[in-house]
Structure formats: C-alpha cells, structure tokens
Amino acid sequence: METVSENRCFGGVQGVYKHDSNTCGCEMTFAVYTPPQAEDGPVPVLWYLSGLTCTHENAMTKAGLQEHAARHGLAIVYPDTSPRGEGVADDEAYDLGKGAGFYVNATRAPWKPHYRMYDYVVSELRDIVEKAMPVQTDRHGITGHSMGGHGALTIAMRNPDLFASLSAFAPIANPTQSDWGRKQLSAYLGDDESAWSDHDATLLLEDRGWKGDILVDQGGADQFLELLKPDALAGMMTRRRQPGTFRMQKGYDHSYFFVNSFAGDHVAWHAERLQ
Amino acid sequence: METVSENRCFGGVQGVYKHDSNTCGCEMTFAVYTPPQAEDGPVPVLWYLSGLTCTHENAMTKAGLQEHAARHGLAIVYPDTSPRGEGVADDEAYDLGKGAGFYVNATRAPWKPHYRMYDYVVSELRDIVEKAMPVQTDRHGITGHSMGGHGALTIAMRNPDLFASLSAFAPIANPTQSDWGRKQLSAYLGDDESAWSDHDATLLLEDRGWKGDILVDQGGADQFLELLKPDALAGMMTRRRQPGTFRMQKGYDHSYFFVNSFAGDHVAWHAERLQ
C-alpha cells in the first residue's frame, strides 16, 4: 500500500492510498478519514460507497462527512467505484464500465477479469483497512449514495455478520426493474435474471431483511426518481415490517448538496449503533 | 441575471447565477447560498473570496460553509476570481491572468480592459446581490482563502463602511514582498511600487488598521508559508495592537481540508458580529 496524500482535517487525517488489487487485477485507489480519536486506539468505521461516475475522491471532497466523523470518533472509508487502468474493459456510456462497477462480481466477458467490486469491498479492501488503519474489526457500518446506496444495502443484507449498521442516500433501490440496473446486471452477470436478485435491495429485503434498523434519505425533487425507484424499497420496508426510517426530503435533488445536508444525521446514526 | 442552477442545501438554496458584467466587460458567474432563515426576511451575508485557480465553484462544493451558514442564518456569496471568456487576456502561468485576478483594478495592458475584480466585488456584484438576494444591506462580512484572504483583508480595510466583520484563511499577507504578489502587482498595476501598497494587507494594517477584530487561521504545515508570509501579518497585528486572533493551526496544510476544518469557526465569528 502506498500513500498518495495525507491532509490534516478536523484534527484527524484525510488520506488517499493505492495498492495492487488481486481481486480487481489492477491498481486501486481508496481514501480513508481517520478521526482524532484514533490516536488513542482503534475506532469504529463507516464505509461510504459512491455513485455512478465517481472515484474515491468525490465524496471525500464534497460529502462533508469528516466534520461529523471527527465529532463522533468514526473512521470513514471511501472506495473507488470500479477497476481502473488501460487494460480494463470500458464502455462509452457513463453508467457501464469504469465508474459504474455496481458492486457485483462480473461473470461475463469482457467484464469478468476485473469487475469484481463486490469481493473487493467485502474482502480485499476490508482486510487492508483492518490491517493498515486504526479501526475496530467488529464495528463496521456501511452507507452510500445512488449506485453506492445500492451497494451498501445489498452488501450489508448479504453480509450481516460483517456490518453492524446500515443507511443509504437516494439508493438505486430496485435495479432489476430499472434502466439503472437491467442494463448493467445483464452486461456483468448475463441475461439469466435469477442471478440478479442478490443485487437488488428490494428483493433482498423481501427475502431476508436486515437484522437492525435502516435509515434511508431520498430527495423529493430528485431528478432520477424513476430510475431509483424508492417507492419499491419504501413499500417493501413497510410490508416486511422492516425496522427503520425512510425519509422523503422535500425539495432536495440527487446532488452532493443533498448528501451533504444529511451527512450529519447518517454519521450520527451509525455512531450510535457502532459504539 | 440568469439562474444557472439551484440546489436545496441544508434547508436553504445553493444557487449559481451569471450576468453580463459592466465592470469586467464579460459574462461573470457567481454563487450564493441563501439559508432557510431568508424565507422570513433579509439575512446578513458573508462574502467568501477564493484563491488562485478557483472559480465560484470550488468553495461552494468543498469549503463546507453552508451547514454553518444555515445554523447561523447567514447568506454566503462566492464570486469568481477573475474575468473569463475568449476575449480576456490570459497567461500560461496558473498565478497570472484567469483565475488570478488578485482583487485589483488593472491599469496596464493587456489586463486593463477586463481585470477589475476590486470594483467588481466592492461595487457591481454587491449591488446585484443586494438587489436580487434576500440580504441585509448593512450587514456584510468578508473572508477568503489564500489570494482570497488577501482580497478579504485589503477590501475590508479599504472599505470599513461596507463591511462589519473580517476574517481570513491562510491569506497572502504581504504580497509586495512575495513572489505571490510582486509578479502580479507589477503586471496589473505597473512597476511603480507606490501603487501596490493599497493591495497589501500588512501595509494597510500598518497604515490604517481595521475598525473591529480580525480572525486569521493559518496552517502550520502549509506548503506555501514562504509565499503567504503570515509572519509579516501576525507581527504587524501585534505591533499595531490590532484587536484580533491569529491562530497557527498545527499540522494543517493549504488545502480545502484546512478551510473546511475551520469553516464553522469563521462563520460563527461573522455571525456573532453581524447579528
């Protein structure tokens, strides 16, 4: 692991690191914020998965999580959203290929060799973070925005032993029924839709639910409501009696101004459940 | 004035607007954050002047001022840092020409026709903001980062009737004695150094001081300490018995992670003096 940059931030350190990923078969970059409390020993950690077109950098500079993480004593991990580099397959569309890994392990050409963001986040990067950073191994929470909200919800529900708290900002909530999902799941996993259900938050919620409570914020003026399908998720939460809070936030759109506005609530939510 | 974008943010609105500037002779873009309190009537306003290479956008997305502005009921204005457009003179260097207006009115070719950021901020944009935005005309504060800290200090000290509160983040503090200053003041104002002293915070502080108290934050690990010359400003504050607070912040560099970390303190400082 190589340090790309480290900047003091709210008394802690905002770092960027890169490493050769065995899982993705390429060099991967990620960011970690360590709060001032980490000087006294390991702290709980919140994973923030980003959306389409993002790298590790967007949320690190725009989401405003650090101030709240410093207050509550949480570390934040910001993974990239796809494999990178010259030898990695890509597509001209912004929503397939680089910047659009969808947190799955691809099983179809040309994506299969590198597009393994599910295993990367769940296993390889987690191992690296636990070994190299002052974080507690048994206190991980996960959240994310848009495609990253999809990643957070699906990864947590499939790995309840690995995560203790869960939230999402405007997640892609029902990708098997959306153009943000059908195209990508078909490309990465093939046309047999039975392979898709492990990557659909609404279907996973119906099938197994989440052991704790879930916080979801959704902007009421989000320009992508038809693609995100929050109604499917909110409806399933209700039908399944899933403990949690779904908030439709009047007037907010899909931008980082929305994420920023509720970052404090989400960090506090995770801090309360991780400490 | 034309609306480029408006996003809900912490219960208020983060807007971006453009207009044909008479002062700069080109189209200019600026951003304004209006807090939720503005729905009930005009609010005090804080001007944030940005540094080299920035537009209106950098601080709007990275400085994290909005959360604090919403809490305290302040509007924030983020001007651009230079004139823009095809017909506007420029230089290959990052620190001269576009993105580097230095908040002066140029008197020398080729800069004279458009590079009038001093008048633009003090007069034209102020008029526009007061007419178009729900702000109080007698409650303006000003701050800024790096070149923008230079702008805030020099503009405020030259216009004590227009501003009621003043602070700066890592300002270019003594540009007449720095390579961040001598090059630009020579280009924009000519080689007669007597014309430069109105644009040097340390010299203005010596000559006239500031009517109130000043808050200055400076990162102790700033990579540009030799160019910023905080020692000159801090020394003059002491010699002149200027009321204020100069804080050397251990470990912080020149980045937005530094600005972000102390944004809350600066917004609170201004709010206390404007309300």
Side-chain angles (χ1 to χ4, degrees), chain A residues 7 10-11 68 252-253 260-261, chain B residues 7 10-11 67 252-253 260-261:
Chain A
N7 301 85
F10 291 103
H68 310 293
Y252 286 87
D253 59 28
N260 209 321
S261 297
Chain B
N7 300 85
F10 290 103
E67 178 161 15
Y252 286 87
D253 59 29
N260 209 319
S261 296

Side-chain angles (χ1 to χ4, degrees), chain A residues 6-12 14 57 60-64 66-68 71 250-253 255 257-258 260-264, chain B residues 6-12 14 57 60-64 66-68 71 250-253 255 257-258 260-264:
Chain A
E6 290 188 332
N7 301 85
R8 179 132 326 244
C9 183
F10 291 103
Q14 179 59 64
E57 189 177 12
M60 173 183 100
T61 57
K62 295 183 177 181
Q66 295 97 340
E67 178 160 17
H68 310 293
R71 184 181 313 129
K250 183 180 177 185
Y252 286 87
D253 59 28
S255 69
F257 296 115
F258 157 69
N260 209 321
S261 297
F262 300 102
Chain B
E6 289 188 332
N7 300 85
R8 181 139 315 255
C9 183
F10 290 103
Q14 180 59 63
E57 190 178 11
M60 173 183 101
T61 56
K62 294 184 178 181
Q66 294 97 339
E67 178 161 15
H68 310 293
R71 184 181 311 130
K250 183 180 176 183
Y252 286 87
D253 59 29
S255 69
F257 295 115
F258 157 70
N260 209 319
S261 296
F262 301 102

Side-chain angles (χ1 to χ4, degrees), chain A residues 19-113:
Chain A
H19 68 111
D20 291 322
S21 166
N22 293 326
T23 304
C24 295
C26 63
E27 185 175 83
M28 293 292 284
T29 304
F30 65 98
V32 177
Y33 176 69
T34 51
Q37 293 86 343
E39 291 179 13
D40 302 323
V43 295
V45 55
L46 175 60
W47 291 70
Y48 180 96
L49 304 185
S50 289
L52 289 166
T53 77
C54 290
T55 69
H56 68 282
E57 189 177 12
N58 304 63
M60 173 183 100
T61 57
K62 295 183 177 181
L65 296 160
Q66 295 97 340
E67 178 160 17
H68 310 293
R71 184 181 313 129
H72 292 285
L74 290 191
I76 312 272
V77 180
Y78 310 82
D80 201 347
T81 61
S82 76
R84 304 283 176 180
E86 286 190 8
V88 173
D90 198 8
D91 189 274
E92 288 183 1
Y94 75 97
D95 60 358
L96 187 66
K98 291 180 184 173
F102 261 76
Y103 306 100
V104 304
N105 296 328
T107 57
R108 292 296 183 274
W111 313 106
K112 187 176 175 183

Side-chain angles (χ1 to χ4, degrees), chain A residues 13-272:
Chain A
V13 176
Q14 179 59 64
V16 177
Y17 310 94
K18 62 184 181 181
H19 68 111
D20 291 322
S21 166
N22 293 326
T23 304
C24 295
C26 63
E27 185 175 83
M28 293 292 284
T29 304
F30 65 98
V32 177
Y33 176 69
T34 51
Q37 293 86 343
E39 291 179 13
D40 302 323
V43 295
V45 55
L46 175 60
W47 291 70
Y48 180 96
L49 304 185
S50 289
L52 289 166
T53 77
C54 290
T55 69
H56 68 282
E57 189 177 12
N58 304 63
M60 173 183 100
T61 57
K62 295 183 177 181
L65 296 160
Q66 295 97 340
E67 178 160 17
H68 310 293
R71 184 181 313 129
H72 292 285
L74 290 191
I76 312 272
V77 180
Y78 310 82
D80 201 347
T81 61
S82 76
R84 304 283 176 180
E86 286 190 8
V88 173
D90 198 8
D91 189 274
E92 288 183 1
Y94 75 97
D95 60 358
L96 187 66
K98 291 180 184 173
F102 261 76
Y103 306 100
V104 304
N105 296 328
T107 57
R108 292 296 183 274
W111 313 106
K112 187 176 175 183
H114 299 286
Y115 283 76
R116 303 181 56 79
M117 290 303 293
Y118 180 86
D119 277 356
Y120 177 69
V121 168
V122 170
S123 299
E124 186 179 23
L125 185 56
R126 183 174 177 122
D127 286 346
I128 289 171
V129 166
E130 290 189 346
K131 288 200 179 90
M133 300 290 162
V135 302
Q136 293 175 303
T137 56
D138 56 345
R139 297 190 180 183
H140 289 238
I142 190 164
T143 187
H145 175 223
S146 195
M147 178 184 74
H150 146 76
L153 292 167
T154 55
I155 285 174
M157 282 192 273
R158 292 179 63 190
N159 299 278
D161 295 342
L162 294 181
F163 295 97
S165 58
L166 174 59
S167 76
F169 300 85
I172 298 177
N174 194 193
T176 62
Q177 303 301 320
S178 168
D179 288 341
W180 272 356
R182 296 187 63 81
K183 168 184 173 179
Q184 295 83 359
L185 296 172
S186 170
Y188 296 144
L189 304 178
D191 289 332
D192 176 2
E193 297 191 20
S194 66
W196 299 4
S197 53
D198 269 355
H199 300 285
D200 184 301
T202 299
L203 297 180
L204 285 169
L205 191 62
E206 180 176 28
D207 178 54
R208 57 188 92 178
W210 169 247
K211 61 180 181 179
D213 48 356
I214 306 174
L215 172 62
V216 178
D217 274 311
Q218 171 62 58
D222 194 310
Q223 56 271 52
F224 302 113
L225 282 173
E226 293 298 318
L227 292 161
L228 299 168
K229 303 204 175 294
D231 46 327
L233 182 67
M236 189 58 73
M237 284 176 74
T238 308
R239 284 199 295 285
R240 209 190 187 284
R241 311 288 188 263
Q242 169 65 47
T245 302
F246 184 99
R247 306 193 299 191
M248 186 62 75
Q249 301 285 7
K250 183 180 177 185
Y252 286 87
D253 59 28
H254 201 63
S255 69
Y256 273 100
F257 296 115
F258 157 69
V259 176
N260 209 321
S261 297
F262 300 102
D265 289 353
H266 284 248
V267 172
W269 172 277
H270 288 273
E272 192 177 321

Side-chain angles (χ1 to χ4, degrees), chain B residues 17-19 21 24 26-30 80 82-83 117 120:
Chain B
Y17 310 94
K18 60 184 181 180
H19 68 111
S21 165
C24 296
C26 62
E27 184 175 84
M28 293 292 284
T29 305
F30 65 98
D80 202 347
S82 76
M117 290 302 293
Y120 176 69

Side-chain angles (χ1 to χ4, degrees), chain B residues 6-275:
Chain B
E6 289 188 332
N7 300 85
R8 181 139 315 255
C9 183
F10 290 103
V13 177
Q14 180 59 63
V16 177
Y17 310 94
K18 60 184 181 180
H19 68 111
D20 291 324
S21 165
N22 294 325
T23 304
C24 296
C26 62
E27 184 175 84
M28 293 292 284
T29 305
F30 65 98
V32 177
Y33 176 70
T34 52
Q37 293 87 342
E39 290 179 14
D40 302 323
V43 294
V45 55
L46 174 60
W47 291 69
Y48 180 97
L49 304 185
S50 288
L52 289 166
T53 76
C54 290
T55 69
H56 68 281
E57 190 178 11
N58 303 64
M60 173 183 101
T61 56
K62 294 184 178 181
L65 295 159
Q66 294 97 339
E67 178 161 15
H68 310 293
R71 184 181 311 130
H72 293 285
L74 290 190
I76 311 272
V77 180
Y78 310 83
D80 202 347
T81 61
S82 76
R84 303 283 176 179
E86 286 191 8
V88 173
D90 198 7
D91 188 274
E92 288 182 3
Y94 75 95
D95 60 358
L96 187 67
K98 291 178 184 172
F102 260 76
Y103 306 100
V104 305
N105 295 328
T107 58
R108 293 295 183 278
W111 314 105
K112 186 176 176 181
H114 300 285
Y115 282 77
R116 302 180 58 77
M117 290 302 293
Y118 180 86
D119 277 357
Y120 176 69
V121 169
V122 170
S123 298
E124 186 179 25
L125 185 56
R126 183 173 176 121
D127 286 347
I128 289 171
V129 166
E130 289 187 348
K131 287 199 179 89
M133 301 289 161
V135 302
Q136 293 176 304
T137 57
D138 56 346
R139 297 188 183 185
H140 289 238
I142 190 165
T143 188
H145 175 224
S146 196
M147 179 183 74
H150 147 76
L153 292 167
T154 55
I155 285 174
M157 282 192 273
R158 292 179 63 191
N159 299 278
D161 294 343
L162 294 181
F163 294 96
S165 57
L166 174 59
S167 75
F169 298 86
I172 298 177
N174 193 193
T176 62
Q177 303 301 319
S178 168
D179 287 342
W180 271 356
R182 296 187 63 83
K183 169 185 173 179
Q184 295 83 359
L185 296 172
S186 170
Y188 296 144
L189 304 178
D191 290 331
D192 177 1
E193 297 190 20
S194 67
W196 298 3
S197 54
D198 270 355
H199 300 285
D200 184 301
T202 299
L203 298 180
L204 286 168
L205 191 62
E206 180 176 29
D207 179 55
R208 59 188 88 179
W210 169 248
K211 62 180 181 178
D213 49 356
I214 307 173
L215 172 63
V216 179
D217 274 311
Q218 170 62 57
D222 194 311
Q223 54 270 53
F224 302 114
L225 282 173
E226 294 297 319
L227 292 162
L228 299 168
K229 301 202 176 296
D231 46 327
L233 182 68
M236 188 60 73
M237 284 177 73
T238 308
R239 284 200 295 284
R240 207 186 187 287
R241 311 287 188 266
Q242 170 64 47
T245 302
F246 184 99
R247 306 193 299 191
M248 186 63 73
Q249 301 285 7
K250 183 180 176 183
Y252 286 87
D253 59 29
H254 200 63
S255 69
Y256 273 100
F257 295 115
F258 157 70
V259 176
N260 209 319
S261 296
F262 301 102
D265 289 353
H266 284 248
V267 171
W269 172 276
H270 287 274
E272 193 176 320
R273 284 152 186 80
L274 294 174
Q275 276 157 346

